[in-house]
């Protein structure tokens, strides 16, 4: 069965510091991996995806994510956090054989000035 | 483009009432999805569609129905509303299943 785990409910980072939001997954077959961001009272917005190729994927707003097949992880990173990065971040996965995304429970990222 | 438009934004229903959540997209996307988001939980897929005339069940379809008579519209019907259906509902569309565009959500309370 497919699953996604975001082990941290909340991550607190000081502005200017690097940030990491963790995601691990379980899927049969080749994984398609995604990160979305949700600002208050808004729908989710696509940040980045990994399908194949380079393990380091760059996305919107300076975010990047690293695919690690051996650790079945797809952690979201940013070298220098901004207060405006504060939001809810969701990791999602799907197998290459279907159309359904499986979502993590979300991680609340708080960037303090 | 307006993107994905959901109506209404808020609604309160009594137990046993029915309603339709509207979703329209103007990007000519084939893929459309309905999700519910409960507090502290990830999104749960209710129904999805890969094109006009084609719909399929997601993880949590019970108590809901959908139709996809046109590419643009993907309404979600709640029959006999129950308190367990209190949630925030999101509609999404995409040119493929890889990249989705979300509406701003419908907050539904069933009392």
């Amino acid at each position: 069965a497919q699953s996604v785990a975001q082990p941290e409910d909340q991550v607190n980072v000081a502005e200017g510091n690097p940030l990491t939001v963790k995601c691990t997954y379980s899927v049969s077959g080749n994984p398609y991996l995604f990160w979305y961001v949700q600002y208050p009272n808004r729908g989710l917005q696509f940040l980045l995806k990994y399908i194949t190729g380079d393990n380091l994927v760059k996305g919107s707003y300076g975010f990047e994510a690293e695919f690690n097949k051996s650790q079945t992880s797809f952690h979201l990173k940013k070298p220098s956090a901004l207060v405006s990065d504060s939001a809810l971040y969701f990791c999602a996965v799907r197998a290459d054989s279907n159309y359904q995304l499986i979502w993590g429970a979300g991680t609340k990222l708080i960037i303090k000035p | 483009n307006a993107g994905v438009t959901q109506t209404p934004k808020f609604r309160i229903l009594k137990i046993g009432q029915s309603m339709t959540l509207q979703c329209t997209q103007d990007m000519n996307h084939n893929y459309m999805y309905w999700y519910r988001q409960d507090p502290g939980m990830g999104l749960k897929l209710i129904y999805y569609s890969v094109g006009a005339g084609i719909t399929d069940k997601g993880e949590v379809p019970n108590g809901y129905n959908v139709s996809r008579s046109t590419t643009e519209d993907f309404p979600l019907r709640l029959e006999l509303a129950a308190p367990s259906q209190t949630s925030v509902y999101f509609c999404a569309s995409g040119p493929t299943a890889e990249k989705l565009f979300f509406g701003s959500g419908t907050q539904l309370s069933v009392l």
Side-chain angles (χ1 to χ4, degrees), chain B residues 1-14:
Chain B
N1 288 345
V4 180
T5 302
Q6 288 184 239
T7 56
K9 293 190 183 301
F10 304 94
R11 184 72 185 267
I12 298 174
L13 286 180
K14 295 182 179 179

Side-chain angles (χ1 to χ4, degrees), chain B residues 28-90:
Chain B
N28 202 34
H29 290 162
N30 282 326
Y31 295 79
M32 294 190 76
Y33 300 78
W34 272 107
Y35 290 96
R36 57 178 289 170
Q37 183 180 31
D38 299 320
M41 306 286 288
L43 299 175
K44 297 293 185 185
L45 181 64
I46 305 171
Y47 272 94
Y48 68 101
S49 168
V50 300
I54 305 169
T55 63
D56 211 343
K57 296 178 180 179
E59 297 176 79
V60 291
N62 292 342
Y64 307 94
N65 276 299
V66 294
S67 60
R68 184 91 184 272
S69 57
T70 66
T71 299
E72 295 79 17
D73 300 310
F74 191 42
L76 178 71
R77 178 82 176 163
L78 278 71
E79 305 282 2
L80 299 175
S84 61
Q85 292 178 305
T86 294
S87 189
V88 180
Y89 291 83
F90 287 100

Side-chain angles (χ1 to χ4, degrees), chain A residues 32 34 36 38 41-46 49 51 88 90 94 98-106, chain B residues 31 33 35 37 40-43 45 48 50 57-59 90 97-105:
Chain A
Y32 290 19
F34 307 85
Y36 282 77
Q38 185 180 28
N41 301 315
R42 300 286 297 277
L44 280 70
Q45 297 177 33
F46 175 85
K49 68 180 179 183
I51 296 177
L88 194 55
F90 289 93
R94 75 173 182 92
N98 66 57
Y99 305 112
Q100 299 187 33
L101 288 174
I102 302 300
W103 297 82
Chain B
Y31 295 79
Y33 300 78
Y35 290 96
Q37 183 180 31
M41 306 286 288
L43 299 175
L45 181 64
Y48 68 101
V50 300
K57 296 178 180 179
E59 297 176 79
F90 287 100
E98 279 93 44
K99 183 174 181 178
L100 301 183
F101 296 79
F102 282 77
S104 56

Side-chain angles (χ1 to χ4, degrees), chain A:
Chain A
Q2 298 179 146
S3 65
V4 176
Q6 293 182 242
E8 303 152 317
D9 291 337
Q10 183 170 308
V11 171
N12 297 298
V13 177
E15 186 177 27
N17 283 0
L19 69 88
T20 298
V21 183
K22 296 179 180 177
C23 173
T24 59
Y25 66 91
S26 174
V27 67
S28 299
N30 295 320
Y32 290 19
L33 295 154
F34 307 85
W35 277 101
Y36 282 77
V37 60
Q38 185 180 28
Y39 297 102
N41 301 315
R42 300 286 297 277
L44 280 70
Q45 297 177 33
F46 175 85
L47 272 181
L48 51 80
K49 68 180 179 183
Y50 171 85
I51 296 177
T52 187
D54 195 348
N55 289 345
L56 185 64
V57 179
K58 294 189 182 299
S60 306
Y61 311 122
F63 284 94
E64 58 189 25
E66 187 169 12
F67 170 62
N68 188 316
K69 187 173 183 178
S70 62
Q71 297 185 5
T72 61
S73 67
F74 190 56
H75 301 332
L76 181 70
K77 300 180 180 183
K78 188 172 182 180
S80 179
L82 300 172
V83 173
S84 57
D85 293 331
S86 298
L88 194 55
Y89 290 80
F90 289 93
C91 181
V93 67
R94 75 173 182 92
D96 57 2
S97 55
N98 66 57
Y99 305 112
Q100 299 187 33
L101 288 174
I102 302 300
W103 297 82
T107 298
K108 187 175 184 179
L109 178 63
I110 297 176
I111 309 300
K112 298 183 178 179

